[in-house]
């Protein structure tokens, strides 16, 4: 059975840099608070009307496709991971298919938030291993800036997130010492509501989230998106940050060790860990817990903030572009986020 390898990788971040100080115009926060709690100095925001989650994904995809030495017409499947799609439906995958004038190939959207890229990569990996497809385009892209609460009310969420996209092309390889060795996917829906965007949705508060506004039966019978939801800011993401933090620092090390042990490796064998860029303090905690050297972990959240599904491919692409990942290196990708979901992938570059 062939393995899959990353044959090409690309990234795109919007031109517009938004510093911590720029946020002061909108909310009561400070550069000091943001840097101390998250490590973030600045993030990129997409152009309001000229850029979308899909167009950024397409920009990253074009680079990945070129670096893989193929054309868009050679791609035989698309997997697109995002939590802020252009439309509620259809997904971004079909928009990529249209934009890149691809053949009438399958296009799958993955909705696993911060773990989205790794879930997407895992799906693509299975299709390559089974021999079904030969050139799969996997994209992670987010335009968070369009859907954040920029008032002081939303500051615990809005200072963290940024926009951007990353993409890879997966192809089969027969080489024993190359490619994706294994992927590991997990979830625990017990905490689904502590990092979530409730609306628009069909839940009608069926799940009884504590922080959800109360609606009477008449309101519930006709609501999908109501004035009351908007007035109570329930069209924005909600996050109980400290609870997410506590779980993340347990699950990151667990899923990294799972990937290494599954393949008979130890931490000392690892050349590079690319953690999802959720918060620099989380990455540092994980590094310390696993006793990894600085050169074994790559972080770029300082420049881009948390770009959820895009963060792993952006960090992987940048680390590779900077020469920090070389042929034959053992690389672990790991993520944790809303759901909760968490995941890892171990690969030989
Ligand atoms: O990738 C998706 C997964 N998400 C994550 O992994 C996020 C995990 N969690 C975190 O990164 C952190 O919990 C945050 C960065 C979100 C928050 O940091 P924290 O140290 O956990 O702060 P906190 O939520 O406990 O809030 C501490 C204080 C509060 O004030 P009081 O109640 O102590 O007076 C907040 O109101 O900080 C206040 N605060 C802020 N102050 C200035 C919250 N956000 C801000 C802000 N600027 N942006």
């Amino acid at each position: 059975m062939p393995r899959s390898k990353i044959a090409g990788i690309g990234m795109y971040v919007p031109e517009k840099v938004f510093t911590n100080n720029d946020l002061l115009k909108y909310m009561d926060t400070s550069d000091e608070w943001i840097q101390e709690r998250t490590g973030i100095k600045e993030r990129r925001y997409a152009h309001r009307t000229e850029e979308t989650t899909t167009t950024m994904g397409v920009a990253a995809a074009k680079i990945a496709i070129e670096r893989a030495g193929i054309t868009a017409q050679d791609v035989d499947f698309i997997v697109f991971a995002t939590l802020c799609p252009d439309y509620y439906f259809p997904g971004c995958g079909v928009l990529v298919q249209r934009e890149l004038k691809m053949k009438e190939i399958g296009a799958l959207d993955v909705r696993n938030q911060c773990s989205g890229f790794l879930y997407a990569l895992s799906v693509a990996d299975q299709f390559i291993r089974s021999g079904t497809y030969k050139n799969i385009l996997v994209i992670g892209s987010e335009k968070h800036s369009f859907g954040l609460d920029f008032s002081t009310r939303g500051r615990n969420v809005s200072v963290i997130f940024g926009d951007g996209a990353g993409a890879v092309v997966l192809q089969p390889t027969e080489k024993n010492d190359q490619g994706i060795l294994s992927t590991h996917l997990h979830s625990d829906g017990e905490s689904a509501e502590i990092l979530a965007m409730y609306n628009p949705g069909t839940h009608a508060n069926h799940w009884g989230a504590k922080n959800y506004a109360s609606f009477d039966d008449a309101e519930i019978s006709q609501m999908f998106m109501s004035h009351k939801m908007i007035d109570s800011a329930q069209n924005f993401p909600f996050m109980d940050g400290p609870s997410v933090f506590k779980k993340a620092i347990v699950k990151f090390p667990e899923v990294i060790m799972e990937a290494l042990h599954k393949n008979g490796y130890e931490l000392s064998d690892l050349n590079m860990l690319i953690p999802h860029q959720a918060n620099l303090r989380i990455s540092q905690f994980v590094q310390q817990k696993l006793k990894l050297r600085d050169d074994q972990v790559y972080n770029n959240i300082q420049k881009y903030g948390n770009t959820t599904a895009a963060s792993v491919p952006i960090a992987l692409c940048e680390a590779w572009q900077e020469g920090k990942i070389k042929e034959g290196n053992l690389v672990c990708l790991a993520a944790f986020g809303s759901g909760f979901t968490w995941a890892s992938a171990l690969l030989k570059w």
Side-chain angles (χ1 to χ4, degrees), residues 51 105 111 125 165 192 227 256 271 302 314:
E51 291 183 307
I105 54 174
R111 299 193 40 182
D125 182 44
H227 288 292
I256 293 163
N271 297 105
Q302 301 91 328
I314 288 176

Side-chain angles (χ1 to χ4, degrees), residues 23-24 27-34 36-40 83 113-115 144 152-161 195 239-246 248 252 276-282 306-309 311 336-338 340:
L23 289 166
L24 301 185
M27 63 188 78
D28 179 14
T29 186
S30 66
D31 178 46
E32 193 191 359
W33 190 97
I34 300 171
E36 193 183 304
R37 309 274 177 144
T38 70
I40 299 166
L83 65 71
Q113 299 69 246
C114 307
S115 313
H144 284 297
T152 297
R153 182 182 54 193
R155 65 184 179 174
N156 71 318
V157 174
S158 45
V159 301
I160 295 176
F161 293 104
L195 174 46
M239 178 167 72
D240 169 357
S243 299
V244 179
F245 197 107
K246 278 184 212 140
F252 263 111
H276 158 53
Q277 303 291 292
N279 179 329
L280 188 61
R281 307 298 160 231
I282 294 178
N306 177 341
T307 57
T308 53
S311 94
F336 175 90
S338 161
F340 293 136

Side-chain angles (χ1 to χ4, degrees), residues 14-257:
E15 251 176 61
K16 187 176 179 185
V17 175
F18 218 76
T19 65
N20 293 343
N21 283 330
D22 290 331
L23 289 166
L24 301 185
K25 288 177 219 145
Y26 304 92
M27 63 188 78
D28 179 14
T29 186
S30 66
D31 178 46
E32 193 191 359
W33 190 97
I34 300 171
Q35 287 212 45
E36 193 183 304
R37 309 274 177 144
T38 70
I40 299 166
K41 294 181 177 167
E42 58 190 41
R43 71 286 294 139
R44 302 293 179 97
Y45 285 164
H47 190 282
R48 296 291 287 180
T49 54
E50 285 173 20
E51 291 183 307
T52 74
T53 294
T54 299
T55 67
M56 290 190 290
V58 164
K62 282 181 178 169
I63 299 168
I65 288 169
E66 197 191 327
R67 285 176 174 166
I70 60 168
T71 69
Q73 285 64 45
D74 297 319
V75 172
D76 45 17
F77 195 63
I78 303 164
V79 195
F80 198 114
T82 186
L83 65 71
C84 34
D86 292 24
Y87 299 132
Y88 187 78
F89 73 84
C92 295
V94 297
L95 302 180
V96 171
Q97 185 272 343
R98 180 174 72 189
E99 277 299 287
L100 290 177
K101 300 181 175 51
M102 290 163 150
K103 289 183 289 196
E104 292 177 349
I105 54 174
L108 172 72
D109 274 50
V110 165
R111 299 193 40 182
N112 284 73
Q113 299 69 246
C114 307
S115 313
F117 181 78
L118 290 182
Y119 269 72
L121 193 73
S122 180
V123 169
D125 182 44
Q126 310 313 314
F127 273 126
I128 297 278
R129 282 174 188 261
S130 69
T132 310
Y133 298 120
K134 302 258 176 284
N135 289 297
I136 305 186
L137 177 61
V138 184
I139 300 174
S141 181
E142 308 281 8
K143 185 183 175 183
H144 284 297
S145 59
F146 214 67
L148 295 172
D149 181 355
F150 281 100
S151 72
T152 297
R153 182 182 54 193
R155 65 184 179 174
N156 71 318
V157 174
S158 45
V159 301
I160 295 176
F161 293 104
D163 301 342
V168 298
V169 170
L170 283 198
Q171 288 176 350
T173 176
E174 296 294 342
K175 287 191 191 165
N176 275 336
D177 56 350
Q178 186 186 40
I180 297 177
L181 306 180
S182 62
T183 57
H184 306 269
L185 310 180
H186 295 280
S187 74
D188 175 5
E190 235 2 88
S191 306
E193 284 78 18
I194 77 162
L195 174 46
M197 184 166 145
Y198 306 119
N199 299 303
T202 60
H203 60 91
N205 204 20
H206 174 77
W207 305 110
K210 275 204 303 278
N211 43 296
Y212 195 70
S214 57
F215 295 90
D216 61 31
D217 287 349
E219 285 169 321
I220 283 176
S221 70
Q222 46 178 283
M223 74 189 189
F224 182 63
M225 178 58 85
S226 70
H227 288 292
K228 190 168 174 182
M229 283 174 190
I230 293 169
D231 292 344
S232 53
Q234 303 210 343
N235 55 325
F236 293 120
F238 169 83
M239 178 167 72
D240 169 357
S243 299
V244 179
F245 197 107
K246 278 184 212 140
K247 193 82 170 185
I249 57 175
V250 174
K251 291 302 174 188
F252 263 111
E254 235 176 69
V255 81
I256 293 163
M257 294 314 297

